[in-house]
Amino acid sequence: FPSHDIEIKTFFMQEMFLRGILVLGTHNVSLAHSFRIRREILAAYEDVLLKTKGAISSGTLREKLKAKPLEPLFKIR
């Protein structure tokens, strides 16, 4: 991953976690979740994606990270 991609992923995961939603490599929403939970998850996605877009557009993404960017476990040789 280019470093900017890792920063975006780190920021996205950080912001979802701050909203009480754990997102790792993937995130699956299903009908097993209640309507209320699905609504909260979709609202969080909307909020976080808009916040991510704003941070990228303003060039402030890196400074908004509360931790070091993730380090990929696997590297392409």
Side-chain angles (χ1 to χ4, degrees):
F1 289 98
S3 64
H4 190 68
D5 291 348
I6 294 297
E7 291 171 2
I8 293 170
K9 182 176 182 176
T10 303
F11 182 76
F12 179 79
M13 291 173 65
Q14 164 190 293
E15 293 302 313
M16 291 297 282
F17 183 72
L18 289 171
R19 287 158 180 78
I21 301 169
L22 180 61
V23 177
L24 298 173
T26 64
H27 188 235
N28 302 302
V29 180
S30 75
L31 292 176
H33 293 98
S34 70
F35 179 77
R36 181 184 61 79
I37 295 295
R38 290 192 312 265
R39 189 177 57 227
E40 288 175 12
I41 291 169
L42 293 175
Y45 268 112
E46 182 176 10
D47 185 40
V48 171
L49 289 172
L50 287 171
K51 192 171 184 177
T52 303
K53 179 182 176 185
I56 293 168
S57 297
S58 66
T60 60
L61 182 76
R62 182 178 268 280
E63 66 191 52
K64 291 181 184 279
L65 293 176
K66 298 181 187 300
K68 292 186 334 184
L70 298 169
E71 292 188 32
L73 294 175
F74 303 102
K75 299 190 190 286
I76 300 173
R77 295 181 191 199

